[in-house]
Amino acid sequence: EVQLVESGGGLVQPGGSLRLSCEVSGFTVSSGFTVSSNYMSWVRQAPGKGLEWVSVIYVGGSTYYADSVKGRFSISRDNSKNTLYLQMDSLRAEDTAIYYCARVTTYNYFDTWGQGTLVTVSS
Amino acid sequence: SYGLTQPLSVSVALGQTARITCGGNNIGSKSVHWYQQKPGQAPVLVIYRDSNRPSGIPERFSGSNSGNTATLTISRPQAGDEADYYCQVWDSSTSPVFGGGTKLTVL
């Protein structure tokens, strides 16, 4: 069974940086689940709040961001490691949330989610 | 940007039918997807493309979409269906949008 495993969360001061990783676990050639052959996305959830989309990277490499993180966050992938990343710079208190990576299907829904990693921005 | 409106909470008695709505301007022209999220867990897809159930999702979950409202229907919900439910569409070509979420309580 293919799983998405996030890591890299933690406590960081305002203005600081953090890089999140999302590794595809349980991958087999037959599953075809690679970060390079799928649309991959990051979605976050602030404590007690709803889901908020953060960023997406398409198969061709195009990237898009929510206005709230544009210019501060950067999504990327390492095909050789089958891993998705989210580089977060100039962090603010309002970026405090659980960050989930998820696969986006060609019909634009999220069918596979990781367990999430908690980012806390606080002094 | 496109907005989705969900009720904050819905309560339903055991044996009854729960309906969770998701309102949006001409949402019937878009594909709507629904997620279930239990406390401390990641979201799980329960309905995709308005009315399709992924493998493993019970038949009591169904969906519809028309006009300005999409609806997630849970027939004879069980205590284990208590959760937060989110609708989602893809706005324009680059941005997914989530509704604010609805907390379902089974009485």
Side-chain angles (χ1 to χ4, degrees):
Chain A
E1 179 188 359
V2 175
Q3 291 183 319
L4 301 177
V5 181
E6 301 98 333
S7 61
L11 175 63
V12 60
Q13 293 188 339
S17 298
L18 214 53
R19 188 178 82 157
L20 307 182
S21 300
C22 171
E23 183 178 358
V24 178
S25 172
F27 165 77
T28 63
V29 173
S30 60
S31 74
F33 199 136
T34 66
V35 294
S36 61
S37 63
N38 287 277
Y39 301 167
M40 298 296 297
S41 193
W42 289 95
V43 176
R44 69 183 181 183
Q45 187 171 35
K49 302 297 185 182
L51 302 173
E52 179 189 18
W53 170 73
V54 173
S55 182
V56 65
I57 183 167
Y58 289 135
V59 171
S62 299
T63 59
Y64 298 92
Y65 302 90
D67 288 343
S68 58
V69 306
K70 199 173 296 182
R72 300 187 298 122
F73 289 13
S74 177
I75 190 171
S76 64
R77 66 192 180 206
D78 185 330
N79 298 340
S80 65
K81 296 181 179 179
N82 211 11
T83 300
L84 178 74
Y85 300 102
L86 185 68
Q87 177 66 40
M88 305 186 296
D89 298 322
S90 303
L91 282 161
R92 306 166 180 168
E94 53 264 37
D95 296 318
T96 294
I98 296 173
Y99 285 73
Y100 298 98
C101 68
R103 180 175 74 167
V104 187
T105 73
T106 52
Y107 291 103
N108 294 333
Y109 58 88
F110 304 88
D111 70 338
T112 307
W113 296 70
Q115 86 289 348
T117 187
L118 176 63
V119 172
T120 303
V121 184
S122 174
S123 55
Chain B
S1 63
Y2 193 79
L4 296 174
T5 301
Q6 297 183 238
L8 284 177
S9 63
V10 167
S11 298
V12 62
L14 275 171
Q16 301 301 306
T17 297
R19 294 180 178 85
I20 298 173
T21 58
C22 177
N25 184 31
N26 197 27
I27 196 173
S29 66
K30 300 179 181 293
S31 281
V32 179
H33 321 293
W34 292 90
Y35 305 87
Q36 175 194 70
Q37 187 180 34
K38 296 181 180 179
Q41 298 184 19
V44 172
L45 179 72
V46 293
I47 292 289
Y48 65 95
R49 300 177 70 191
D50 297 340
S51 59
N52 296 277
R53 275 180 294 103
S55 173
I57 300 301
E59 289 184 6
R60 63 180 180 273
F61 288 85
S62 63
S64 62
N65 183 21
S66 178
N68 293 318
T69 305
T71 303
L72 173 68
T73 300
I74 308 172
S75 302
R76 298 177 300 283
Q78 302 176 359
D81 296 331
E82 285 199 338
D84 294 326
Y85 291 86
Y86 296 89
C87 58
Q88 177 250 317
V89 301
W90 205 277
D91 179 32
S92 71
S93 62
T94 60
S95 302
V97 177
F98 290 97
T102 299
K103 181 178 180 59
L104 175 68
T105 300
V106 180
L107 304 173

